[in-house]
Amino acid sequence: MHKPFLGTCYYPEHWSPNRWASDAQRMSNLGLSVVRIGEFAWSRIEPQPGQFDWQWLDQAIDTLAAAGLKIVLGTPTATPPRWMLARHPDMLAMDEDGQPRGFGSRRHYCFSHDGYRQESVRIATLMAERYAANPQIYGWQIDNEYGCHDTVLSYSDAAQRAFQRWLADRYQSIEELNHAWGNVFWSMEYDNFENVGLPNLTVTEANPAHVHDFRRFSSDQVIRYNRAQADAIRAHSHAPLIHNYMGRITDFNHFRLAEDLDIASWDAYPLGFLLDRSGADEQRQLAYQRQGEPDFQAFHHDLYRGVGRGRWWVMEQQPGPVNWAPYNPAPLPGMVRLWTWEAFAHQAEAVCYFRWRQAPFAQEQMHAGLLRPDSEPAPVMSEVVQVVDELANIGSIEPAAAPVAMVFDYSSCWAWETQPQGQSFDYFALQLALYRGLRRLGLSVDIVAPEIDALDAYQFVIVAGLMHWNPTLLAAIESFDGIVLVGPRSGSKTENFRIPESLPPALPGLNCKVAYVESLAPGAERPLQGGGYVQNWLEALETDVQVLERTADSAAQPVLVANENLHYLAGWPNDEAALRMLGQLCKAANINTHEMPPGVRQRCTASHRFLFNYNAFESQYDGVVLPAAGVHWQTL
Amino acid sequence: MHKPFLGTCYYPEHWSPNRWASDAQRMSNLGLSVVRIGEFAWSRIEPQPGQFDWQWLDQAIDTLAAAGLKIVLGTPTATPPRWMLARHPDMLAMDEDGQPRGFGSRRHYCFSHDGYRQESVRIATLMAERYAANPQIYGWQIDNEYGCHDTVLSYSDAAQRAFQRWLADRYQSIEELNHAWGNVFWSMEYDNFENVGLPNLTVTEANPAHVHDFRRFSSDQVIRYNRAQADAIRAHSHAPLIHNYMGRITDFNHFRLAEDLDIASWDAYPLGFLLDRSGADEQRQLAYQRQGEPDFQAFHHDLYRGVGRGRWWVMEQQPGPVNWAPYNPAPLPGMVRLWTWEAFAHQAEAVCYFRWRQAPFAQEQMHAGLLRPDSEPAPVMSEVVQVVDELANIGSIEPAAAPVAMVFDYSSCWAWETQPQGQSFDYFALQLALYRGLRRLGLSVDIVAPEIDALDAYQFVIVAGLMHWNPTLLAAIESFDGIVLVGPRSGSKTENFRIPESLPPALPGLNCKVAYVESLAPGAERPLQGGGYVQNWLEALETDVQVLERTADSAAQPVLVANENLHYLAGWPNDEAALRMLGQLCKAANINTHEMPPGVRQRCTASHRFLFNYNAFESQYDGVVLPAAGVHWQTL
Amino acid sequence: MHKPFLGTCYYPEHWSPNRWASDAQRMSNLGLSVVRIGEFAWSRIEPQPGQFDWQWLDQAIDTLAAAGLKIVLGTPTATPPRWMLARHPDMLAMDEDGQPRGFGSRRHYCFSHDGYRQESVRIATLMAERYAANPQIYGWQIDNEYGCHDTVLSYSDAAQRAFQRWLADRYQSIEELNHAWGNVFWSMEYDNFENVGLPNLTVTEANPAHVHDFRRFSSDQVIRYNRAQADAIRAHSHAPLIHNYMGRITDFNHFRLAEDLDIASWDAYPLGFLLDRSGADEQRQLAYQRQGEPDFQAFHHDLYRGVGRGRWWVMEQQPGPVNWAPYNPAPLPGMVRLWTWEAFAHQAEAVCYFRWRQAPFAQEQMHAGLLRPDSEPAPVMSEVVQVVDELANIGSIEPAAAPVAMVFDYSSCWAWETQPQGQSFDYFALQLALYRGLRRLGLSVDIVAPEIDALDAYQFVIVAGLMHWNPTLLAAIESFDGIVLVGPRSGSKTENFRIPESLPPALPGLNCKVAYVESLAPGAERPLQGGGYVQNWLEALETDVQVLERTADSAAQPVLVANENLHYLAGWPNDEAALRMLGQLCKAANINTHEMPPGVRQRCTASHRFLFNYNAFESQYDGVVLPAAGVHWQTL
């Protein structure tokens, strides 16, 4: 039985202790169940190295607990205090230009710095020892928003030494590395691992195999760092371990990191993300300026449900205007309710609003909270009250299996950032485009890791832009009876960033080779015989399998081909073509589809059908009239 | 009695001494009264440290004086010679990326470097000692164009140490600094002042309170540097001290710096400024490409009249194409005359053309002068001759009081650069937009410092975007009977860059709170019930005072509210709405207005009404036909 | 008799020796005559300092020779191995921001580093000693693509010391340098050469005379470096010396460098260059996306024919999609044949396709070859076969004299990069615009160095944008009877980057002075009385010679003036105006012209007239129907 709940993020250290009890009581009265605290408070917990002040945190936890609130306690390692830098002057990350990323904001540590990792374990251990026995501790948040502000990649000395060790582990001999990377090209061969530098500040592009191993290494450093804290806490606590991931940060492998945690969560800022990372064009940005991109949140909900192996939260939910996007309008009235219900429809366990009260100082003073700085309720409050009421009445929201799965591969993100081949090729954008097509067909989607070992739960599986095949996935595909759509660039490299000998897509069971590829500038799209066109990317296929779709020009190039259930899509379809092709493949997979009106989306669980209107105007679907920003559900 | 005069800028060191006498005679014959010299000549005055060559400068001054010219003598400290760098290797400013800003152009010193400040005092003292008794010295220019080329902010070691001392002075204890800045946020607390760094190279944005104090400090360093020279000269000379400010350089507080000087001047380059800093959109740039932005010069005239406490010059007037803008067309014939008369209409004491003769070498060889490099008159010369004639005949131009005052606050410029909240929010642009509205109503405007202690001279006062209130201004407003318009963002911070407890605008006498703000992307403007729209910025007001104007959407948000004479404008009106609202408020203030045709502007003094046609075509106003670039005046 | 031939670029070190013989046989069977090898193979030739492995290279050369192929052997100095950096840690070039340009790609050496130059001489000497006697060595390629990746300018310590020595040689005394540069401006005077820095990291622009001397010096360093290798090889070999220049890389003086070589060659990538350096606007980029800019290749063919004193090759010809442009489409079928024939029509001795087989690894794995990575023929192969057949049948292509010469001056490229005065002024773009006009009139053009001593071979000579006159050219013009067109900015500086005393264009025989210049923003073009307009640049002429054309505005400024055969063009004509004016001048020069349809070009030799259709659609000219990408020739 799925009974989601609400929470908020609170910073007792920002306010006089006099306020804590009334704040806690107001949270509780409002109907919130959980409160996250502590994740930036290191300078208050340990004001000087080795000198601790636990009293205030004890009191804050007791006060919140006394009001019936459960607590998610964060380790404060995203914000090491100033004295840490004096102890470890070389702990700073270095940017690609070789500049240190200094103290004065947050996330200024290098994941490869052993000393700082040990300090992080130390503080996490102390917190776990102190609070593990407290029954009000719901769980632990480790650090905060890994990778935010471009902090995964560091070009520090510590990173360089660690990378050399990582390479020595991976390749065992320098000859093997030289061979794997193809270093004979341009006389880039190394004599020993100590001579391998980081792939920044080269005259022209570095070897993509070099860059890609650096990306893998950098992801592994995050995982190693997180695991050290996770192990430290687990030694004392059985409570769930959580991290709050971000939107469209793909610099580390979330699936692998999450293996050391219990619950995935993410920080959902639909309006900020629309402008600064959704990839929406100007027209789309204007249409959804106060609502957010209609598929961006859902994509992450489904991604993090996969990352969390079913358990996931929204740890920070935008409640009003934020401070960090290029422009910061207010959500359309109703949207915070919509976002909350959309998360629940995608099986979120909890949605926590960031933050309880707007801070009148420091970097985020223009970031709305549930309360204004003067402690009066912000406009969002009425929507939270409404959600609390609705939650009390809706009953259990029973999960339903999704008919479609999409494989999402972090390593492929890195690969095509390293080698876009055409500047509009972006792995995430390709996934989002196909996901949008499925959503416009009214479908629920699972997003799965590329090492998935069974696909039988699905009728239709999409693998697009996958850099290289792994044996587990190949075996799963081989034994899968449903429809498989393999999208452009899949299998186009080996694990070592080489073109496979048999040429892409190198998929057993599909006799087809990519002879060459073209990247297409805006305006150079190629029309398709069935309507719509191919944009960004088009592959020239050499094949003798069935051709389902061709370009509409004189070349009549095959674009969609099939051998039984295996399909290959040799280009990047625009929205119209994607909708059409995905619809045809769903039909082949015996999946019922319903084309949604623009801006309207649905999510069906086993118990309910939810409809969401991202439009700023009234819309209709299936006899239901949805007001602007409207949510509607019906029991199934 | 106001009898303005003309001058030019001359570099005797650029030319053979053989030419000096004839140059001086031509200047005199032309009708010029004053000539500025010396401000870049350090390497000729002191070729080696401690070795002086005064002879040439003596001779140059004597030669110019012999032709009846008065001299403004510049201290040459904007261009320390190469040997200075050998004496003070750490005198260079550092840019935000930590790179030294090297020798080879100009302004390569850090304002915080004590050694260089002492060298500057030394040379200024020597010049004052030598020439103070010379009756032909009209006055002194200290340094040249403070802040040009982004030279106020320096991230050098000298700056860091000085900033730490400045903070220690301001806050007395590190606890007080931590509290004022809200450093508990993100564990940014410091143990001592020696640990406070400069706010560059942080991972994400630094604390705005930290940045803002660095901006205040940096401004203070300019003032301290200038005062040291001013004191040195005043010890020997009673002649006026002058600095030549620039267009739209706001990195230091000009009002405060000017307290140590006698005359404000500025360097007016209307065509260069149109393209590189006026903020005019592409269409406006094309319409005024050879005339300049119609309000940009006047705004600075009025600003520097305020900065100079009534005494102000144009020290450098563009006479033809310049060399430094993205494109450098020639002024439309007539425009140099127009610019000159516009300065006089705004009560300039003098207009000096930069420069006498175009230099055929070095950085500014493509910058026009009154003479071509071959010493023939440039096209501008006929316009200068005409102005000389006109000046002889116009009689005294008697100053008139302006009915409207606008408060201009440098600190607010810094505040909203640090925290724009929406990328189109710019303090200067907001002032210029409101100023344009007043000018389109035919009004004369005073621009005043935020510490103004009496407003009684005015019927209408505008305060827009003011970061925080000061008691002097609040008292002045309280005792003012005229119309007050307080614009968006005013009072939105305390002095320490915090949101005030009572919420903005925190203006006594106006019961109104800004519940939240929205920054608006281009295309997301909100229409107004009275016509036009709000762009860039819109505040949600909670108020029970009279609402004069609302948005035209379903929210019908209050945009203009009033309590008796106090008005609050909760958004940034576009040109149409600004014109309309300002017109209504002028009516309430009993100010007569006349809407000017596009591109036509007027300025009324007590003795004359001047009309200026910035259009490249003939225009009419009030029965007067103005040719393209035309100037017209009539006696009142 | 001109019998061109084909070749390819091959990297035996990239492939198993087992493949070499069959590769060689396939090349030979295909009809290729020459194969270039070796230019990136240093780490295989000398795996450790002083330890050589010649065996594989001996075998590769023998294998290729055994198949009848001639070999161009490259010195591998563009890619020093990693151990070189350990021997010479200070050999790296430094970028303008003072960052080293590190190991990990290619071209990471500073031309001024004496130690690396000696290492380069050492390896070149060893290769020459070993292979000079081999009759299969057709010639030598020295290094690879000088200047690619912006590698001519280096701001290293080695460069600074060498620059100081270069200046001391040039000026003999520091007083002379100060005078020449006009360092009195802004007190930039130096006491000694050791104090002269490089012109980077200044606060605002450095002295253009300083920058220009640094550009001259940097060019000289490339020449000195190349000459050292050339001398080393010539000491052992009589085979021709070659370098493969690039498209639109103008950072060193190719004419002067080529004096030490025997054959010029260039690397022609029409599709990549269209997008990343042709300057084509968006519309033109789309129209020619799969064909390349219609005049860009021909311009370089004519330029490098001049640079090579008649002997020139295409050393690398794009055969399919490349990997490095913003977008990388495939050539339209037929274009590789067209490009090949266009090179031959412009008297190329050879066209070599880059590369034989697409590499499946490292930086260029997405760069097409004649073979795919799986050794199957790429689509281009059928076009190569066709060219081989056609070559066998066409007979000798006899060179014909061009009626028109254009002077191309590298130093002027640098001058206007240093001082564009308006951001759209670009020397190369001006030359290409005039060249396009000539091509649209159906003409053949020679591109000549500015030191040309006789013009009698031509009927019409164009000199546009030439920074300063040299006596040789002035004498050649004086004794020339044909039509001379001198274009804007010519003679506008002295050799020391000063405005000449008599003002530009300072051309004896043409009584005309440029009083001032205007740079024109897009949208600010000035119409011409004869049609079309002046864009980018317009000079105000003071002249009493005949005015052939004026602006169509009220100023009626002279734009084209003439004194007998000498013409001066005082602005940058748009395409329409250029075509019209050039047509009139050709008529005056008794040159027959034929206006070509858009996208169709011709080249007439003494034996053949070639027509090329760069359009993606069928076009007609002079009764000939040309398919898309079609080539047509007829015997004359």
Side-chain angles (χ1 to χ4, degrees), chain C residues 51 73 111 124 216 255 409 517-518 559 577 618:
Chain C
Q51 297 178 13
L73 186 56
F111 281 105
R216 282 190 180 109
F255 288 111
D409 176 44
V517 302
E518 298 186 85
V559 172
E618 183 181 287

Side-chain angles (χ1 to χ4, degrees), chain A residues 266-280 284-294 296-297 317-333 335-336 338-339 367-368 614, chain B residues 516-521 526:
Chain A
W266 78 292
D267 295 348
Y269 292 96
L271 302 197
F273 290 155
L274 173 75
L275 297 187
D276 92 338
R277 63 189 71 178
S278 74
R284 200 166 173 85
Q285 287 188 1
L286 274 176
Y288 296 111
Q289 52 171 312
R290 299 182 65 185
Q291 305 102 275
E293 215 284 337
F296 192 85
Q297 285 68 247
Q317 173 62 60
Q318 175 169 5
V322 296
N323 63 302
W324 46 265
Y327 295 94
N328 295 293
L332 203 66
M335 281 311 300
V336 176
L338 184 152
W339 296 329
H367 191 304
Y614 268 87
Chain B
Y516 62 92
V517 301
E518 299 187 84
S519 49
L520 306 178
R526 304 273 170 88

Side-chain angles (χ1 to χ4, degrees), chain A residues 13-14 40-44 48 79 82 99 101-108 149 151 286 289-290 321-323 326-330 355 358 360-366 372 374 379, chain B residues 97 181-182 184-191 195 201-208 419 421-424 493 497-499 501 503 513 515-524 526 542:
Chain A
E13 69 273 24
H14 291 181
F40 298 130
W42 200 335
S43 73
R44 288 294 167 98
Q48 294 294 328
T79 52
R82 179 62 181 79
Q99 287 280 17
R101 306 189 71 184
F103 183 83
S105 61
R106 61 179 190 174
R107 302 212 59 73
H108 48 281
H149 319 306
T151 47
L286 274 176
Q289 52 171 312
R290 299 182 65 185
V322 296
N323 63 302
Y327 295 94
N328 295 293
R355 50 189 282 167
Q358 183 175 349
F361 50 77
Q363 279 91 334
E364 294 180 355
Q365 56 185 263
M366 300 299 282
R372 305 188 323 203
D374 63 355
Chain B
D97 293 328
W181 289 5
V184 62
F185 197 82
W186 292 354
S187 280
M188 296 178 295
E189 292 167 304
Y190 296 100
D191 297 333
N195 278 343
L201 294 173
T202 51
V203 174
T204 182
E205 57 173 329
N207 190 329
Q419 187 188 78
Q421 179 64 10
Q423 63 188 22
S424 59
K493 305 293 171 188
F497 219 114
R498 298 168 74 106
I499 298 174
E501 285 183 27
L503 296 191
K513 286 181 197 295
Y516 62 92
V517 301
E518 299 187 84
S519 49
L520 306 178
R526 304 273 170 88
E542 192 178 67

Side-chain angles (χ1 to χ4, degrees), chain C residues 161-485:
Chain C
R161 286 189 304 271
F163 183 46
Q164 291 165 349
R165 287 191 301 269
W166 185 94
L167 290 171
D169 279 353
R170 182 178 176 91
Y171 293 105
Q172 298 296 316
S173 77
I174 196 67
E175 292 74 21
E176 184 57 29
L177 177 146
N178 283 328
H179 175 73
W181 289 4
N183 278 338
V184 62
F185 197 84
W186 292 354
S187 279
M188 296 178 295
E189 292 166 305
Y190 296 100
D191 298 331
N192 55 64
F193 288 105
E194 286 67 41
N195 278 341
V196 185
L198 301 179
N200 59 325
L201 293 173
T202 51
V203 174
T204 182
E205 57 173 330
N207 191 329
H210 185 176
V211 180
H212 199 67
D213 269 351
F214 180 65
R215 300 297 301 265
R216 282 190 180 109
F217 154 79
S218 299
S219 174
D220 283 358
Q221 296 302 95
V222 181
I223 291 162
R224 184 180 74 141
Y225 175 86
N226 179 72
R227 183 178 298 143
Q229 286 201 43
D231 290 348
I233 299 173
R234 283 209 206 280
H236 301 279
S237 170
H238 298 296
L241 303 187
I242 314 175
H243 180 72
N244 58 330
Y245 306 103
M246 272 298 274
R248 201 174 185 166
I249 282 189
T250 55
D251 291 335
F252 64 95
N253 186 328
H254 291 49
F255 288 111
R256 284 194 52 207
L257 185 134
E259 292 170 10
D260 297 313
L261 302 177
D262 302 293
I263 299 174
S265 73
W266 78 291
D267 296 348
Y269 292 95
L271 302 196
F273 290 156
L274 172 74
L275 297 187
D276 91 339
R277 65 188 71 176
S278 75
D281 62 22
E282 205 176 330
Q283 186 186 352
R284 198 165 174 85
Q285 286 188 1
L286 274 176
Y288 296 112
Q289 52 171 311
R290 299 183 65 184
Q291 305 102 275
E293 214 283 338
D295 299 299
F296 192 84
Q297 285 68 248
F299 184 90
H300 285 85
H301 295 342
D302 292 342
L303 170 63
Y304 290 124
R305 191 176 62 249
V307 165
R309 301 181 302 282
R311 296 200 67 182
W312 77 278
W313 293 21
V314 172
M315 189 60 90
E316 301 183 9
Q317 174 61 59
Q318 174 169 4
V322 297
N323 62 302
W324 46 265
Y327 295 94
N328 296 293
L332 204 66
M335 282 311 298
V336 177
R337 170 177 168 252
L338 183 152
W339 296 328
T340 306
W341 275 111
E342 194 174 39
F344 291 149
H346 287 253
Q347 265 100 60
E349 296 183 0
V351 172
C352 301
Y353 300 101
F354 181 90
R355 49 189 282 168
W356 174 245
R357 183 190 293 105
Q358 182 176 351
F361 50 77
Q363 278 92 334
E364 294 180 353
Q365 56 184 263
M366 300 302 281
H367 191 302
L370 297 183
L371 301 186
R372 306 189 321 205
D374 63 356
S375 294
E376 293 298 309
V380 65
M381 196 61 101
S382 61
E383 298 184 37
V384 178
V385 168
Q386 183 179 356
V387 172
V388 169
D389 287 348
E390 291 167 339
L391 271 174
N393 295 311
I394 195 171
S396 176
I397 304 163
E398 296 300 324
V404 191
M406 291 181 66
V407 166
F408 188 85
D409 176 44
Y410 288 91
S411 178
S412 299
C413 289
W414 315 332
W416 311 142
E417 285 174 24
T418 299
Q419 187 188 78
Q421 179 63 12
Q423 63 188 21
S424 59
F425 196 95
D426 178 279
Y427 178 81
F428 186 95
L430 175 62
Q431 307 309 313
L432 189 61
L434 295 172
Y435 181 83
R436 177 178 298 123
L438 297 171
R439 291 257 292 173
R440 290 188 58 199
L441 295 167
L443 300 176
S444 295
V445 181
D446 278 356
I447 297 181
V448 300
E451 296 82 8
I452 189 165
D453 59 4
L455 300 170
D456 307 330
Y458 304 104
Q459 294 160 267
F460 181 17
V461 170
I462 299 176
V463 184
L466 185 76
M467 176 195 176
H468 65 90
W469 298 107
N470 67 74
T472 310
L473 179 58
L474 284 179
I477 289 174
E478 175 141 19
S479 66
F480 179 54
D481 290 332
I483 297 293
V484 177
L485 175 64

Side-chain angles (χ1 to χ4, degrees), chain B residues 516-539:
Chain B
Y516 62 92
V517 301
E518 299 187 84
S519 49
L520 306 178
E525 296 82 5
R526 304 273 170 88
L528 288 167
Q529 288 178 351
Y533 48 80
V534 167
Q535 60 194 8
N536 302 327
W537 188 266
L538 177 59
E539 297 168 353

